């Protein structure tokens, strides 16, 4: 598979299959917190490489942090007893891009962090996306969560939240249904490879998609707190949602190459 697409500024982007095709990877999403920020689209545009542009919701861009614990992860067809588990964090920006005259949507992932040595070794080589080493401190019950991630380079995230019975007040989403549809449509993620000139695609498939609202009591992020990237007011906390105990698959979607015309 090989296709040419036009980028937002007149450049070209090329999507092609990888020489090595990652087998379907299956497992269980043990816990996934989506912590979201509504952002100034111009600020996001400065962060995004070609051919991506911010996907807008009510005039705002949407970005956030996916804090996901996986279990029983293994190639499809292998018994779950041989699966692995890990804590991971991914900074995500909802994006659109042009592909063969059509508008596609997904997420651009500028950074991935993990506590898994295997993910770090395989990331950017056999598994899409470079994974940074990080330590995770997690304290949780059935309805309360506190998670702190610290990367070895100083990147950090701290979130305290509890399961909510009501939809988050002040969110740019009008309802749980609209929020759920927005994030389900962002299953295809593109991550920069080690040379920085290509992007690798990985798509999440969930036979059953379930989200519930979270009430966030504290959120801190060195990424969204970086004033060089996001001046005051350019990134404001919007909402958070929880997914748990959901079977899933990861499927490789090859590479995308962006080049100026």
């Amino acid at each position: 598979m090989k296709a040419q697409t036009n980028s937002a500024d007149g450049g070209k982007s090329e999507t092609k299959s990888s020489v090595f095709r990652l087998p379907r990877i299956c497992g269980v999403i043990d816990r996934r917190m989506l912590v979201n920020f509504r952002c100034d689209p111009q600020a996001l545009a400065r962060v995004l490489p070609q051919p991506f542009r911010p996907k807008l919701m009510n005039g705002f861009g949407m970005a956030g942090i996916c804090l996901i614990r996986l279990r029983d992860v293994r190639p499809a067809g292998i018994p779950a007893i041989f699966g692995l588990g890990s804590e991971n964090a991914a900074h995500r920006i909802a994006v659109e891009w042009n592909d063969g005259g059509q508008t596609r949507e997904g997420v651009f992932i500028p950074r991935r962090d993990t506590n898994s040595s295997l993910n770090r070794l395989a990331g950017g080589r056999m598994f899409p996306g470079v994974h940074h080493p990080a330590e995770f401190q997690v304290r949780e019950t059935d309805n309360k969560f506190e998670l702190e991630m610290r990367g070895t380079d100083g990147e950090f995230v701290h979130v305290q939240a509890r399961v909510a019975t009501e939809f988050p007040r002040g969110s740019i989403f009008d309802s749980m249904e609209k929020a759920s549809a927005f994030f389900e449509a962002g299953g295809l993620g593109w991550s920069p490879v080690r040379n920085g000139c290509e992007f690798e695609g990985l798509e999440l498939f969930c036979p059953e998609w379930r989200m519930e609202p979270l009430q966030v009591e504290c959120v801190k992020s060195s990424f969204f707190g970086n004033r060089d990237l996001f001046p005051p007011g350019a990134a404001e906390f919007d909402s958070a949602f929880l997914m748990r105990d959901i079977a899933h698959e990861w499927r490789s979607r090859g590479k995308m190459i962006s080049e100026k015309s």
Side-chain angles (χ1 to χ4, degrees):
M1 180 269 292
K2 192 172 184 178
Q4 292 281 343
T5 63
N6 293 325
S7 70
D9 65 353
K12 296 177 181 177
S13 67
E14 180 183 277
T15 306
K16 65 179 183 179
S17 61
S18 301
V19 174
F20 174 81
R21 292 292 291 181
L22 182 78
R24 288 188 299 121
I25 301 295
C26 62
V28 176
I29 296 175
D30 196 36
R31 181 261 299 133
R32 186 190 195 202
M33 290 191 288
L34 294 169
V35 182
N36 312 304
F37 293 77
R38 55 182 179 270
C39 301
D40 177 359
Q42 293 183 349
L44 288 182
R46 291 191 292 267
V47 175
L48 291 171
Q50 296 177 28
F52 304 109
R53 59 184 181 269
K55 177 184 176 181
L56 301 185
M57 184 69 180
N58 295 335
F60 289 94
M62 180 58 64
I65 313 158
C66 170
L67 301 167
I68 185 169
R69 181 171 62 232
L70 302 172
R71 74 171 193 265
D72 302 336
V73 176
R74 76 278 184 195
I78 301 298
I81 192 173
F82 297 109
L84 301 176
S86 60
E87 284 279 1
N88 308 273
H91 289 73
R92 302 152 36 98
I93 302 172
V95 295
E96 296 178 333
W97 67 96
N98 297 331
D99 185 0
Q102 295 184 332
T103 298
R104 301 286 305 279
E105 62 180 284
V107 293
F108 176 71
I109 304 173
R111 182 182 175 102
R112 293 181 182 271
D113 291 89
T114 184
N115 69 351
S116 166
S117 298
L118 179 61
N119 288 356
R120 295 197 300 270
L121 289 173
R125 297 181 177 93
M126 296 180 63
F127 197 81
V130 177
H131 291 63
H132 297 269
E135 292 186 358
F136 290 76
Q137 299 291 331
V138 182
R139 293 171 289 276
E140 63 184 64
T141 64
D142 286 344
N143 61 2
K144 293 183 180 180
F145 304 86
E146 182 175 4
L147 185 148
E148 183 174 295
M149 182 216 80
R150 287 195 175 272
T152 56
D153 59 356
E155 191 79 17
F156 76 88
V157 173
H158 181 218
V159 176
Q160 289 179 256
R162 64 177 65 231
V163 174
T165 57
E166 297 180 351
F167 188 76
R169 295 181 179 179
S171 171
I172 63 173
F173 299 105
D174 296 332
S175 65
M176 193 68 204
E177 290 73 21
K178 288 186 178 180
S180 182
F182 183 94
F183 290 106
E184 187 173 11
L188 175 55
W190 293 97
S191 303
V193 301
R194 295 180 185 276
N195 63 19
C197 300
E198 299 176 336
F199 313 108
E200 294 177 315
L202 190 66
E203 193 162 9
L204 172 66
F205 287 85
C206 298
E208 184 179 6
W209 183 270
R210 300 190 311 272
M211 284 177 30
E212 51 190 314
L214 283 173
Q215 178 183 333
V216 171
E217 299 168 344
C218 175
V219 56
K220 298 178 182 178
S221 163
S222 56
F223 181 78
F224 291 103
N226 185 339
R227 294 310 183 194
D228 291 333
L229 299 177
F230 300 100
E236 301 287 345
F237 172 74
D238 180 84
S239 55
F241 303 100
L242 176 67
M243 302 175 68
R244 47 185 169 180
D245 199 26
I246 295 177
H248 75 285
E249 284 189 1
W250 300 106
R251 300 178 189 175
S252 174
R253 287 297 178 250
K255 290 186 177 181
M256 181 186 297
I257 302 173
S258 180
E259 61 182 3
K260 292 274 189 176
S261 61

